[in-house]
């Protein structure tokens, strides 16, 4: 990104006091992928936008998905052709916007005796999928014979395998995708704050005219005015509708999805596999860097939305499913090195089970003008944003005679990444490896930097060269921490280890190794007291324990 925009909490009090003196066209509540997409869409059309998130950006659902930009093949079984068409077409667009972050990933769908997908139906289903999603070239589906499927993935169950479907999807880091949407919106004047919890609405002539929010860092409360407010708070959408006294008609239905992470040597799948489980559901096994992760579950959830955990029953269910599909693998609970659990904010439909609920998004507008959006999928975030911003833009043009541009987010590269094609991303990885190899870094390190930061890797390497007196690995992670503090609003080490880098999930050992170095960077930046640092350490150790310990005595 040419010239990073400062995006930091270091002078938080001063900047918060400035923004509350302004009047915005639009306040967006919720800093997940939907809110981030809305902020970028609205600001790029010419609206003055403020984005407020009660926790860290992407700390709810948007850091806990399956981390795929995918067309939702299973929605064909529900005859939801509209959803398949929309999210299928969106995959290619989002890949084009951030080819360093949305990576092509071939998916293997094994056809097994007595499984959900037969050969004929799969062939037709994938063909329909290709047509609806406008898939071209090498990405078009192929049907493989048993021998070809076994060659691609030797771990498949030879005895009951009848062949496989082979098709294209994309893999991403959901929290990074959210962060890059937020940061790109800054180029169009958006103001965005994490740890800013909306507690109430301001009304003028019985219409919503702004919000009250509390600064969760310093405890101050603020009021800020705006012409319109969009509630994109994911699982918390209904709470805000209740505050607005407008929780009528349709409501949210939360379901929990769990993912487990294993060292690659314990589950050495060569590529992503989408496979049957005995109860008739489908599941993913996805290789990523040093690990393979699996998921997901789909169960009703009514507990604490701010603390969603993987329980032992979830872990046993997923481990059993993998052992059933891959007979040569014998995973145990002790093999789990990390995990995550998140909520899907779906729209309730009477009589439907968790996995039968539609993934469509819906927009609700209250009598006081609060616009709420819920439902949907990570893959469809850009279209969700476009639909809801269209609605607000139309009102703004009528109410204020405003002239706004049409939606152009399909043409705005995220964080000015400058990559035209994925080939250029691979070439850039080779360049980065050449530059850092002499310091003992490997191919994985170059892959990690480029698929996490894209061209922003340059800023990290600049900082890396200025850090002295420690080994190269520690210098690099310190440079990353400095980048997260200066340009990505990270206010504590958990923001960094969990959401800015995904290390808690995909490289958990590095969290344990580099905790002291990263903690030192945060203490220097924010002048935290020893007591505050001790509290962060306690919180991170608790996260490490919760995400990685699945011994039976935990039950």
């Amino acid at each position: 990104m040419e010239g990073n925009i400062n995006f930091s909490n270091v002078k938080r009090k001063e900047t918060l006091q400035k923004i509350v003196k302004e009047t915005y066209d639009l306040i967006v509540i919720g800093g997940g992928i939907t809110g981030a997409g809305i902020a970028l869409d609205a600001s790029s059309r010419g609206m003055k936008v403020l984005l407020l998130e009660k926790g860290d950006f992407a700390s709810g659902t948007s850091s806990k998905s399956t981390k795929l930009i995918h067309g939702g093949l299973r929605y064909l079984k529900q005859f939801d052709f509209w959803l398949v068409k929309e999210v299928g077409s969106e995959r290619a667009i989002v890949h084009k916007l951030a080819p360093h972050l949305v990576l092509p990933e071939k998916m293997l769908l094994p056809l097994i005796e007595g499984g959900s997908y037969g050969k004929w139906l799969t062939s037709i289903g994938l063909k329909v999928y290709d047509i609806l999603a406008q898939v071209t070239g090498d990405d078009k589906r192929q049907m493989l014979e048993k021998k070809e499927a076994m060659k691609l993935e030797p771990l498949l169950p030879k005895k009951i395998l009848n062949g496989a479907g082979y098709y294209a999807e994309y893999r991403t880091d959901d929290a990074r995708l959210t962060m890059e949407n937020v940061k790109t919106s800054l180029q169009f004047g958006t103001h965005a704050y994490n740890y800013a919890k909306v507690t109430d609405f301001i009304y003028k002539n019985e219409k919503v005219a702004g919000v009250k929010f509390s600064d969760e860092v310093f405890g101050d409360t603020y009021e800020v005015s705006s012409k319109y407010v969009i509630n994109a708070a994911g699982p918390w959408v209904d709470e805000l509708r209740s505050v607005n006294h407008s929780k009528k008609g349709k409501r949210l239905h939360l379901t929990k999805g769990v993912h487990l992470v294993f060292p690659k040597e314990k589950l050495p799948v060569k590529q992503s596999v989408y496979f049957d489980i005995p109860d008739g559901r489908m599941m993913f096994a996805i290789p990523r860097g040093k690990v393979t992760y699996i998921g997901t579950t789909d169960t009703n959830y009514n507990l604490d939305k701010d603390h969603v955990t993987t329980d032992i029953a979830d872990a046993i269910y997923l481990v059993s499913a993998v052992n059933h599909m891959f007979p040569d693998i014998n995973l145990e609970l002790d093999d789990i090195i990390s995990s995550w659990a998140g909520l899907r904010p779906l729209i309730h439909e009477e009589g439907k089970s968790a996995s039968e609920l539609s993934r469509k998004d819906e927009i609700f507008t209250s009598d006081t003008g609060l616009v709420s959006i819920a439902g949907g999928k990570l893959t469809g975030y850009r279209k969700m944003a476009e639909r809801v911003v269209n609605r607000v833009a139309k009102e703004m043009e009528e109410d204020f005679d405003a002239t706004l541009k049409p939606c152009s987010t399909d043409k705005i590269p995220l964080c000015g990444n400058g990559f035209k094609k994925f080939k250029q991303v691979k070439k850039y990885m080779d360049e980065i490896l050449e530059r850092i190899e002499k310091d003992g870094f490997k191919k994985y390190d170059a892959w990690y930097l480029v698929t996490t930061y894209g061209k922003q890797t340059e800023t990290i390497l600049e900082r890396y060269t200025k850090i002295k007196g420690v080994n190269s690995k520690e210098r690099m992670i310190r440079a990353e921490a400095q980048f997260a503090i200066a340009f990505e609003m990270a206010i504590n080490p958990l923001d960094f280890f969990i959401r800015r880098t995904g290390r808690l999930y995909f490289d958990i050992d590095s969290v344990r190794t580099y905790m002291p170095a990263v903690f030192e960077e945060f203490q220097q930046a924010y002048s935290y007291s020893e007591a505050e640092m001790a509290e962060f350490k306690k919180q991170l150790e608790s996260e490490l324990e919760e995400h990685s310990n699945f011994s039976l005595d935990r039950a």
Side-chain angles (χ1 to χ4, degrees):
M1 181 177 171
E2 293 303 313
N4 288 292
I5 294 174
N6 276 351
F7 188 41
S8 175
N9 272 309
V10 170
K11 292 183 177 171
R12 181 179 175 92
K13 266 199 169 181
E14 291 165 44
T15 56
L16 278 174
Q17 280 157 3
K18 275 183 200 163
I19 66 147
V20 294
K21 291 173 185 161
E22 314 233 12
T23 297
Y24 290 87
D25 293 325
L26 176 66
I27 290 175
V28 183
I29 307 169
I33 189 64
T34 310
I38 292 166
L40 175 55
D41 191 324
S43 59
S44 62
R45 295 193 201 198
M47 290 187 205
K48 187 174 178 182
V49 178
L50 172 64
L51 174 69
L52 299 172
E53 160 58 45
K54 76 181 184 69
D56 185 24
F57 298 115
S59 57
T61 296
S62 298
S63 55
K64 302 185 184 93
S65 72
T66 305
K67 304 178 191 293
L68 288 174
I69 297 293
H70 68 119
L73 181 64
R74 74 185 186 83
Y75 308 124
L76 280 181
K77 282 175 81 177
Q78 298 169 353
F79 301 105
D80 204 340
F81 298 120
W82 175 86
L83 186 64
V84 174
K85 185 176 187 344
E86 178 167 291
V87 294
S89 328
E90 277 300 293
R91 295 175 313 166
I93 294 170
V94 182
H95 170 62
K96 184 187 76 181
L97 300 178
H100 62 293
L101 195 54
V102 178
L103 314 168
E105 182 77 14
K106 284 284 192 183
M107 191 72 68
L108 195 64
L109 174 65
L111 307 175
I112 58 167
E113 282 169 29
S116 310
Y117 291 89
K119 216 169 203 173
W120 183 76
L121 211 62
T122 301
S123 179
I124 288 177
L126 286 174
K127 181 76 177 165
V128 171
Y129 190 61
D130 278 357
I131 293 164
L132 290 175
Q134 300 162 326
V135 177
T136 56
D138 293 344
D139 283 350
K140 282 188 172 177
R141 72 97 168 93
Q142 293 169 264
M143 295 306 295
L144 307 176
E145 294 301 323
K146 178 175 181 168
K147 201 175 173 183
E148 296 169 294
M150 289 299 299
K151 198 174 176 184
L152 279 174
E153 189 44 79
L155 291 174
L156 290 173
K158 198 171 183 179
K159 282 182 184 170
I160 55 169
L161 187 71
N162 293 327
Y166 196 48
Y167 62 107
E169 297 286 21
Y170 295 91
R171 196 183 70 219
T172 193
D173 179 323
D174 45 7
R176 292 292 322 164
L177 189 63
T178 302
M179 178 49 66
E180 297 220 350
N181 268 277
V182 174
K183 285 168 66 174
T184 307
S185 77
L186 305 179
Q187 298 169 13
F188 300 94
T190 292
H191 292 150
Y193 285 87
N194 49 359
Y195 299 102
K197 183 180 181 177
V198 172
T199 53
D200 206 347
F201 297 95
I202 300 165
Y203 299 92
K204 194 174 170 185
N205 304 325
E206 296 184 356
K207 291 287 180 190
V208 168
V211 301
K212 297 175 183 178
F213 71 92
S214 70
D215 175 6
E216 301 290 277
V217 179
F218 294 111
D220 305 315
T221 55
Y222 298 94
E223 291 191 9
V224 59
S225 302
S226 73
K227 293 172 183 151
Y228 304 96
V229 178
I230 294 177
N231 166 17
W236 294 270
V237 156
D238 277 356
E239 261 87 332
L240 285 163
R241 288 172 77 205
S242 292
V243 169
N244 179 242
H245 309 294
S246 60
K247 191 183 157 188
K248 301 179 186 108
K250 290 193 175 179
R251 60 187 167 86
L252 290 194
H253 183 135
L254 303 181
T255 75
K256 180 170 87 161
V258 164
H259 297 79
L260 305 178
V261 184
F262 299 89
K264 194 164 254 182
E265 52 275 19
K266 288 286 181 184
L267 184 53
V269 288
K270 287 184 166 182
Q271 54 162 62
S272 292
V273 186
Y274 183 43
F275 60 94
D276 278 272
I277 34 186
D279 66 4
R281 292 189 67 255
M282 299 289 290
M283 192 168 130
F284 292 102
I286 300 168
R288 184 189 187 111
K290 300 173 179 180
V291 301
T292 302
Y293 67 94
I294 62 168
T296 177
T297 58
D298 205 352
T299 51
N300 293 324
Y301 189 83
N302 302 304
L303 303 172
D304 181 1
K305 290 188 279 292
D306 290 300
H307 192 66
V308 187
T309 58
T310 303
D311 57 44
I312 207 90
D314 299 322
I316 290 169
Y317 172 82
L318 292 173
V319 166
S320 306
V322 171
N323 288 339
H324 181 266
M325 176 46 68
F326 303 111
D328 295 340
I329 294 292
N330 189 21
L331 291 178
E332 295 177 5
L333 293 178
D334 286 349
D335 296 328
I336 301 167
I337 49 171
S338 190
S339 69
W340 67 89
L343 299 177
R344 302 176 189 89
L346 306 176
I347 312 298
H348 182 71
E349 293 174 69
E350 268 331 308
K352 286 202 173 180
S353 72
S355 48
E356 287 171 333
L357 288 174
S358 169
R359 266 50 178 172
K360 275 200 185 92
D361 55 280
E362 294 213 23
I363 300 169
F364 316 103
T365 305
S366 76
D367 295 341
T368 55
L370 174 67
V371 180
S372 300
I373 184 164
K377 288 168 56 60
L378 173 67
T379 308
Y381 81 87
R382 200 190 63 80
K383 291 303 281 185
M384 285 171 71
E386 183 181 344
R387 274 192 285 279
V388 76
V389 176
N390 279 347
R391 190 172 288 205
V392 171
K394 190 168 179 274
E395 283 191 40
M396 195 168 154
E397 283 164 353
E398 287 169 4
D399 298 348
F400 296 93
D401 203 24
T403 308
L404 297 167
K405 296 172 194 163
C407 174
S408 62
T409 52
D410 59 334
K411 297 176 192 71
I412 301 171
L414 296 183
C415 284
N417 64 75
F419 299 114
K420 294 283 178 275
K421 290 195 172 144
F422 186 60
K423 275 181 187 167
Q424 294 177 340
V425 177
K426 289 204 275 198
K427 194 179 168 194
Y428 185 57
M429 278 182 209
D430 293 339
E431 274 175 41
I432 294 297
L433 178 59
E434 214 170 286
R435 285 158 62 184
I436 63 177
E437 220 170 358
K438 63 182 185 306
D439 288 354
F441 290 101
K442 302 276 193 297
K443 197 175 178 180
Y444 168 82
D445 301 298
W447 170 87
Y448 161 78
L449 283 168
V450 175
T451 59
T452 305
Y453 303 105
K455 288 280 175 76
Q456 298 164 108
T457 300
E458 297 300 329
T459 309
I460 288 164
L461 292 180
E462 274 170 37
R463 287 177 176 254
Y464 167 77
T465 56
K466 292 174 185 164
I467 297 166
K468 306 289 180 230
V470 290
N471 69 52
S472 57
K473 288 277 171 82
E474 186 179 318
R475 277 165 60 201
M476 192 66 83
I477 202 164
R478 281 178 179 272
E480 282 186 75
Q482 288 177 13
F483 178 81
I485 290 163
F487 303 115
E488 297 197 333
M489 219 68 171
I491 200 163
N492 64 56
L494 283 84
D495 297 342
F496 174 76
F497 280 124
I498 302 173
R499 290 164 291 273
R500 302 300 177 275
T501 64
R503 284 175 181 269
L504 184 78
Y505 306 140
F506 302 119
D507 192 3
I508 199 165
D509 288 342
S510 73
V511 181
R512 296 183 178 106
T513 306
Y514 297 110
M515 259 170 79
V518 169
F519 274 56
E520 201 173 281
E521 291 295 336
F522 276 88
Q523 188 166 21
Q524 280 174 7
Y526 291 107
S527 306
Y528 286 128
S529 67
E530 290 305 321
E532 285 169 318
M533 293 310 294
E535 182 55 30
F536 291 142
K537 188 167 189 281
K538 190 177 149 192
Q539 287 171 6
L540 186 54
E541 282 171 349
S542 165
E543 291 277 348
L544 284 164
E545 170 71 11
E546 189 178 284
H547 287 274
S548 62
N549 177 16
F550 288 92
S551 55
L552 282 166
D553 59 7
R554 171 174 151 168

